[in-house]
Amino acid sequence: KWETPNMNEDITNTNKSKNFGPLSGLRVVDWTMWQFGPVCSMMLADLGAEVIKVESLDGDHARQFHTVSGTSSTLPGNLNAYFESLNRQKKSIAVDLKNPSGLEIIKKLVKKSDIFVQNFRNGVAERLGLGYEELKEINPAIIYGAATGYGPRGPDSNKPAFAYTGEARSGSLWWAGPNDGNPYNLQSVADQISGIMLCNAILGALVHRNKTNRGQKVDVSHLGSMMWLGGNRYGMALLTGKEPGGQDRQAARNPLWNSYKCSDGKWIAFAMNQSDRYWPTFCEAIDRLDLVTDDRYNKMEERSKNRVALIRILDEVFASKSRSDWGDQMDKKDGIIWERVQDIWDLPEDPQVTENKYIVDFEHPSLGPVKYLQTPFGYSDTPLETRSSAPELGQHTEQILIDTLGYSWEDISRFQDEGSIL
């Protein structure tokens, strides 16, 4: 039976509705660290589940990770952005899992929960008594999400991994960046997509459990997720046996599927695959009707043959006006598919972003007004809400032990004396 979580002590936002998100009433034991696992569990929290983050007594290593890609992530109050951005909406319980009483606490929590998520190397959970086979004996309905680098089977299933190695093994470093013949650093995209995939896999297991009342183990890896992210590029390559090609902007086979720099240094992008259909209207919009009748450019095949010269012409054209001016001209022509190339700082001011709540305002208890990315799922009846910031280490240990697990204050004193909790 699903239990409604007691979120009263965690709600810091102004919206006080009792039910939010389609997973309201579910409880998740979140034994994850770094990024892969926390992305998944934060999405489950955004969807309304009560997520209890299980940390060691010194905390998730991400709490001490104060530099990311050469940029400081340190925030006031000894907080850091890396941890804060991945762990909002969660409760924290700090437990020593190598201590028998600490392990007892987590197993008792598993018995009262719906989902268990971990992203440790294969074998670690099993050695501590927290593998799927052990936990399903405690709770047959538990859905057990396991996040790994290379999958649960195969010669490298126990190999340690981080996002970059998963990106490398999956073939992704060759297609993601500039077409300059060098592998590109994806900046932990593998962690993000793998966390999303694990969340989706868990949701599928929940649907199955609702029909059968049986839990199961769910496996998701960096390797498999990044291959899936390759999408149609990989799918077509496997079917045709041909190497998928990259695209150099200056030699794009279709100049109408390309981006151009405007006079203000900003970029504009076009996505018109049926280029013969759009070419006359596009040329009208840029005031270059001569390109419509020029035999070098009036057909798709000819534009492809002469693409380098044509893109040079278009580069000069777009360099003559600002992006906003070009956008106005494009909007005057029916059907031109274009968009501004934005960076992260454009997004909070983008009305599409704010109206759809892809970024939300939040009053952080220590930082004051901040903005959060929101899981971009829209539900008509159970809308998502951002209700709490990332927890302090062990912030909810006593609350969970007493309210959820039924321990007494004497038990808490005993656990503290034994060193199993903070």
Side-chain angles (χ1 to χ4, degrees):
K1 183 180 178 180
W2 293 3
E3 298 181 35
T4 302
N6 177 9
M7 297 291 287
N8 292 336
E9 293 188 22
D10 291 330
I11 298 173
T12 55
N13 214 359
T14 55
N15 194 329
K16 304 294 186 182
S17 61
K18 292 182 179 179
N19 294 315
F20 70 101
L23 300 189
S24 179
L26 290 176
R27 178 175 292 128
V28 179
V29 179
D30 172 25
W31 185 39
T32 68
M33 60 192 306
W34 298 114
Q35 184 173 345
F36 183 167
V39 167
C40 168
S41 55
M42 186 172 68
M43 290 180 69
L44 295 173
D46 281 350
L47 288 166
E50 177 192 26
V51 175
I52 298 175
K53 183 176 179 67
V54 178
E55 300 189 67
S56 62
L57 298 188
D58 58 355
D60 182 338
H61 291 336
R63 289 185 182 274
Q64 290 84 43
F65 205 47
H66 288 279
T67 300
V68 181
S69 300
T71 301
S72 172
S73 61
T74 299
L75 295 171
N78 202 32
L79 303 176
N80 80 78
Y82 185 93
F83 182 85
E84 289 288 318
S85 69
L86 294 169
N87 292 283
R88 69 167 185 271
Q89 310 263 63
K90 303 177 185 180
K91 297 178 178 180
S92 171
I93 179 172
V95 179
D96 180 2
L97 294 175
K98 295 181 180 179
N99 188 308
S101 58
L103 190 59
E104 170 200 317
I105 290 169
I106 299 308
K107 287 186 174 180
K108 191 170 182 178
L109 186 58
V110 167
K111 192 172 183 177
K112 290 178 167 284
S113 299
D114 302 278
I115 301 163
F116 182 91
V117 188
Q118 60 93 356
N119 66 332
F120 290 84
R121 187 166 42 155
N122 277 339
V124 172
E126 289 73 14
R127 287 194 296 273
L128 287 173
L130 293 174
Y132 175 60
E133 296 301 323
E134 292 88 354
L135 297 192
K136 76 174 183 179
E137 294 298 319
I138 300 170
N139 182 353
I142 197 74
I143 293 168
Y144 187 103
T148 63
Y150 304 109
R153 293 170 292 277
D156 292 331
S157 59
N158 295 330
K159 191 175 181 180
F162 277 95
Y164 193 50
T165 54
E167 291 155 8
R169 184 72 173 261
S170 66
S172 305
L173 298 183
W174 292 115
W175 58 257
N179 184 24
D180 59 4
N182 296 302
Y184 188 68
N185 192 326
L186 282 168
Q187 303 294 331
S188 298
V189 165
D191 277 335
Q192 193 72 16
I193 185 59
S194 299
I196 294 167
M197 294 291 281
L198 183 56
C199 177
N200 286 342
I202 288 171
L203 295 179
L206 280 172
V207 172
H208 179 263
R209 193 184 72 173
N210 284 348
K211 294 186 293 184
T212 66
N213 203 31
R214 295 200 306 271
Q216 61 181 306
K217 185 180 181 184
V218 175
D219 286 290
V220 169
S221 70
H222 282 138
L223 175 59
S225 298
M226 284 304 295
M227 290 173 62
W228 188 252
L229 186 61
N232 198 36
R233 180 187 185 86
Y234 280 25
M236 289 179 61
L238 292 171
L239 290 170
T240 64
K242 297 178 181 178
E243 180 77 19
Q247 174 168 300
D248 180 353
R249 192 202 70 80
Q250 295 177 319
R253 295 186 64 83
N254 176 8
L256 293 189
W257 193 279
N258 207 9
S259 57
Y260 299 92
K261 190 175 183 180
C262 304
S263 64
D264 54 1
K266 298 179 180 179
W267 290 74
I268 188 170
F270 297 91
M272 292 172 279
N273 204 32
Q274 299 168 290
S275 62
D276 280 346
R277 171 186 169 186
Y278 293 103
W279 184 245
T281 305
F282 174 80
C283 291
E284 287 182 23
I286 64 172
D287 298 322
R288 288 297 302 266
L289 288 175
D290 58 301
L291 298 177
V292 177
T293 56
D294 193 317
D295 290 341
R296 295 170 297 173
Y297 310 127
N298 61 0
K299 296 292 182 183
M300 183 167 60
E301 294 81 4
E302 298 306 315
R303 286 193 293 277
S304 180
K305 289 178 186 176
N306 299 289
R307 58 187 181 272
V308 173
L310 177 55
I311 290 172
R312 285 181 185 145
I313 292 172
L314 296 179
D315 278 343
E316 292 179 2
V317 169
F318 283 100
S320 66
K321 293 182 181 179
S322 70
R323 185 175 65 188
S324 60
D325 287 341
W326 282 122
D328 290 341
Q329 287 196 215
M330 297 303 153
D331 285 339
K332 292 176 183 176
K333 302 296 179 182
D334 185 41
I336 290 183
I337 304 170
W338 75 276
E339 194 50 84
R340 59 186 68 84
V341 180
Q342 300 194 137
D343 64 26
I344 188 172
W345 307 118
D346 296 315
L347 300 179
E349 306 304 322
D350 187 325
Q352 283 302 118
V353 172
T354 56
E355 287 292 325
N356 289 285
K357 297 185 178 179
Y358 299 145
I359 291 178
V360 294
D361 293 315
F362 184 80
E363 188 67 28
H364 192 284
S366 300
L367 303 175
V370 298
K371 294 183 182 293
Y372 278 139
L373 283 178
Q374 177 62 278
T375 296
F377 296 167
Y379 294 95
S380 60
D381 292 342
T382 56
L384 277 58
E385 297 178 14
T386 298
R387 294 158 67 95
S388 62
S389 58
E392 297 177 10
L393 175 60
Q395 179 180 343
H396 306 95
T397 301
E398 294 174 353
Q399 174 196 341
I400 292 165
L401 291 179
I402 293 173
D403 294 346
T404 304
L405 302 182
Y407 286 111
S408 66
W409 285 107
E410 289 77 14
D411 293 324
I412 289 175
S413 295
R414 174 171 59 85
F415 291 145
Q416 289 173 335
D417 291 341
E418 293 170 350
S420 59
I421 65 172
L422 288 177

